[in-house]
Amino acid sequence: FDADKRPIKIFNHDELKKAPVSLPSLESGKLYHLQGTLYYCEDSPDSPCLIKSIETSFTATPNGLVTLPVDLK
């Protein structure tokens, strides 16, 4: 088991319904990898639900603020 590749946060459904979500403190300058799958539905009757996989890397900043937009198109 590689300790550097263990999850630092796993979000449950209720957390993801709120925006934005927060991560625990990250080490400044360290490269992190964000990976996940979103399941979402349009807000109209009989609309299909969709699945979107997300995978991106980012480097933590000294102030700890990182914004990662998610394109659901």
Side-chain angles (χ1 to χ4, degrees):
F1 179 73
D2 186 348
D4 286 339
K5 293 186 179 184
R6 72 181 188 283
I8 58 171
K9 178 70 176 167
I10 297 173
F11 296 99
N12 67 37
H13 181 259
D14 291 331
E15 290 174 299
L16 290 175
K17 288 191 314 186
K18 301 172 187 172
V21 294
S22 296
L23 293 173
S25 295
L26 303 177
E27 185 180 326
S28 179
K30 185 174 179 179
L31 181 66
Y32 291 89
H33 188 74
L34 175 67
Q35 180 181 7
T37 303
L38 299 174
Y39 301 87
Y40 60 100
C41 304
E42 293 181 19
D43 191 15
S44 61
D46 300 322
S47 66
C49 292
L50 306 168
I51 300 171
K52 175 75 176 189
S53 292
I54 298 170
E55 201 167 322
T56 189
S57 297
F58 66 94
T59 301
T61 61
N63 64 6
L65 299 176
V66 176
T67 300
L68 300 170
V70 176
D71 181 11
L72 297 177
K73 296 178 181 176

